[in-house]
Amino acid sequence: MNISELEEAVVEFINRPNYKPVKPRVIAKQLGLDEHAAGQLKQAVKSLVKAGRIAYGQNHLLQPVAAAAEQLNSEPARSGKQSRAEFSAQRVTGVFRRMSAGYGFVRPTGAAKSDRSGDIFVAANHAQDAASGDIVLVALSRKRDIRRPNPEGEIVEILERDTHQFVGTYFEAAGNGYVQVDGTLFSRPVYVGDPGAKNAQPDDKVVFEMVRFPSHFQDGEGVITEVLGAKGAPGVDTLSIIREFNLPGDFPEAALDAARQQAEEFNESVHGRLDLTGETIITIDPIDARDFDDAVSVERLENGYWRLGVHIADVSHFVRHKSALDQEAYERATSVYLPDRVIPMLPEIVSNNLASLQPDKVRYTKTCFMEFSPEGIRTGVDLHNSAICSKRRFTYEEVDSYLADREEWHGKLKPEVHSLLGRMHELAMLLRGRRFGRGALELTMKEVKVDLDKHGRVIGAHVVQNTESHQIIEDFMLAANEAVADSLEAAGVPFLRRVHANPDPRKLHALTEFIAELGFQTGSLENRFELQKLLGSIHGRPEEHAVNYAVLRSLQRAVYSPEEEGHYALASECYCHFTSPIRRYPDLTIHRLVAALIAKQKSPGDMGALVTAGEHCSEREQRAEAAERELTKLKLLLYMSSHIGEQMEAVVTGVEEFGLFVQGTKLPAEGLVHVTTLADDYYRFDRRSHTLTGNRSGNAYRLGDMVRVEVARVDIDRRELDFRIVQKTGRRPPPPKLSRGKAKHLRGLKASGKKQKKKHSHRGNGKNKRRR
């Protein structure tokens, strides 16, 4: 029984009419599970609770969601868990996620994954020792803070721990061994027994199992399970993140055997497939890409129409449904791209060979042919099982060079390849224009990539540029994803969509006010075209980063779900992921449905299984992204630790009561300038204008100000970087300050695209220039 079948069996068992609430181990016994399946039951229950399909009731007994909610909302406060008077007896279960400052949010059981408006805010002093991912019981507050739209609550019980495994630095004191956990989740060290357990030495990075979690009444206790190596040694930082986020390790032998068998059976025969091996088809990928899962062809037809071919590696041919290889791919759900390595979803035999669209090799693909009118309107879609032979592998840098000087590339390329690149650029820009014409949004968030030497040591970092070569591939892949989704919807096939729900109007209203306080004239940002106009107007300005981040926080998170919610940012009513089955499991599920559609076979539509798969894949994707961000941050901190006292140009990216967040302009490391280090004056925080202003001098810091900073402190274990401001640079006047009447009028504008005719003059001293 695989994990998906086990989840369905649990749901069916709990929802029986005569079901009496019991604990998971009783369900395992009632279902007659063997030892291996019983071990998987805990993970299945956790996944189902997070998905909102079952719930915990009193005493950790499993119940149907409706019954648990009724019980929890009506029961009195538990003995020994008395809440203060401001907290009610109304209880809610949900999944907790902790922020770095200690506070967090609880997603109520059963809430839509893409909707965060109902998340319960939990202050740091009301969060107990809960960690991100824990399933908790929350007592809701009787009061509401008008400054915060979310309900508030207090964690009264931790029902299910997400993990007991943690990573930290080992040290010894008073004849005992301790571990200081990485990050800020646990402030006090955890006792791990006698010195030298597992041969750990002081300052080693270790993995330990928490036996007793720390609380207000007692310290934590754990046991070391693995020694990763000396703190700061090459590769130890990567191993620490891998263990901290519980990322997968080596593939099980059964999955490797299945991959080897596929390699033995593959003979590059095109029998039964549309033979495209003679067509001019190319790939465009990053210079350091290891797998190539998408290829492109473009023709201009005699009637002036376009024929775009997007050819995607046919991973479903090699990864058979419910095989050992498929089960492992589902469990991983995504490849993880760390700065110095890739943890693939599929064994390299498949991802880097059999399914990789390497030049001059026959490879199996799923092809989506799309026909577009001269104006860029899609007029037809054809789906095929196909075989291609890529004529050339391009890097993004090569295509950018071609676009900059096409004549220079005449002698480097075959005529058919040279003309193909020209057609690709023309069609992509046409499709891109139409996409933005319908209101698609493009957030410009910095993607930081660390630069490593041949030994894996950090020698710097840079921001990845989104050039026209990237845009060509991006728009072709978006077109194919949308075309495949429309085809499946037209056939009445339930499928795993990529959904991005509409934002909460309250958050967009608050965003409108925030943007107005920064001095930008805009209509109501509840109108997507006003939002699009804003993002375009701040491109390249000092405020770009802050505005893009504020917009991002106002939007929902994109997730996988069978629900027909559409994709807000892409302005698409129907969208899925089809173009990366080597690295994303949802794409693989789409390929299987496309295969059935091509064969005119009826596809089973199990909505419950799709909901579970969507939740699982979304969670794995978010875990991978968090691990990638954390390791990039950690490597930058290791690099900065050897540059204490050095100065650099930076921009203010955030302003809070406790200080300024700044990011280097050349080396994109972000850190904090604590308000106590601003020694020239006493600074007060203005929440409305997001400024810190000196009482005596009137000197102020705002979003976008350019400053010269010095690296003051690096704490690798807590993952903190502190700067000290040396001087302000590039002084500039502040954005225009709107009068109260004009600001009110601005917020009241309807989504009609109206503009204000003039700005009010500003007052006060000149402020510093800033960038994104």
Side-chain angles (χ1 to χ4, degrees), residues 345-361:
M345 183 181 78
L346 297 168
E348 285 83 349
I349 297 172
V350 175
S351 60
N352 293 349
N353 186 272
L354 297 178
S356 186
L357 306 184
Q358 301 167 356
D360 304 317
K361 291 184 179 292

Side-chain angles (χ1 to χ4, degrees), residues 177-193:
Y178 295 89
V179 174
Q180 183 62 57
V181 182
D182 288 351
T184 57
L185 178 59
F186 301 110
S187 59
R188 297 197 301 273
V190 176
Y191 170 76
V192 290

Side-chain angles (χ1 to χ4, degrees), residues 298-527:
V298 175
E299 298 176 72
R300 195 68 188 264
L301 306 179
E302 292 183 0
N303 60 359
Y305 278 52
W306 296 91
R307 190 182 193 227
L308 168 63
V310 173
H311 317 276
I312 306 301
D314 191 357
V315 176
S316 62
H317 177 83
F318 304 105
V319 183
R320 304 298 167 84
H321 186 44
K322 294 189 178 182
S323 66
L325 194 53
D326 180 49
Q327 291 182 40
E328 181 64 21
Y330 174 81
E331 177 59 29
R332 295 178 178 231
T334 182
S335 296
V336 185
Y337 293 86
L338 301 175
D340 54 358
R341 71 182 68 181
V342 176
I343 302 176
M345 183 181 78
L346 297 168
E348 285 83 349
I349 297 172
V350 175
S351 60
N352 293 349
N353 186 272
L354 297 178
S356 186
L357 306 184
Q358 301 167 356
D360 304 317
K361 291 184 179 292
V362 174
R363 289 292 181 259
Y364 290 170
T365 52
K366 285 283 191 293
T367 288
C368 177
F369 279 123
M370 293 155 280
E371 191 172 285
F372 296 93
S373 72
E375 297 77 26
I377 301 171
R378 194 180 73 216
T379 58
V381 179
D382 287 314
L383 302 173
H384 299 275
N385 294 314
S386 56
I388 69 166
C389 184
S390 173
K391 297 300 182 283
R392 196 183 194 283
R393 180 216 163 180
F394 283 96
T395 65
Y396 287 124
E397 291 79 5
E398 287 177 321
V399 175
D400 285 326
S401 175
Y402 163 89
L403 294 174
D405 189 350
R406 301 188 186 195
E407 290 300 319
E408 182 187 347
W409 281 80
H410 268 300
K412 301 179 182 180
L413 301 175
K414 294 179 180 179
E416 61 271 21
V417 175
H418 188 279
S419 60
L420 170 60
L421 283 178
R423 293 194 300 271
M424 288 173 61
H425 179 256
E426 185 179 354
L427 176 58
M429 295 304 107
L430 177 64
L431 297 180
R432 188 174 181 82
R434 288 195 64 84
R435 184 161 63 86
F436 285 104
R438 72 190 189 195
L441 307 177
E442 184 171 53
L443 290 173
T444 309
M445 301 302 295
K446 283 184 177 180
E447 180 187 349
V448 177
K449 189 170 185 179
V450 296
D451 303 319
L452 307 173
D453 64 15
K454 62 181 180 180
H455 302 294
R457 292 188 292 260
V458 180
I459 55 176
H462 66 278
V463 175
V464 177
Q465 299 298 323
N466 183 33
T467 63
E468 281 194 318
S469 61
H470 294 77
Q471 293 166 9
I472 290 172
I473 296 303
E474 176 187 11
D475 275 273
F476 286 167
M477 297 305 114
L478 291 176
N481 287 336
E482 196 168 48
V484 168
D486 285 340
S487 298
L488 292 173
E489 186 172 69
V493 177
F495 61 97
L496 208 51
R497 303 164 186 259
R498 183 64 167 178
V499 302
H500 188 214
N502 291 341
D504 184 342
R506 294 174 298 174
K507 290 189 176 182
L508 291 182
H509 180 73
L511 177 66
T512 305
E513 293 185 331
F514 169 74
I515 296 301
E517 292 297 341
L518 291 182
F520 289 94
Q521 279 193 302
T522 175
S524 170
L525 297 179
E526 293 177 49
N527 179 344

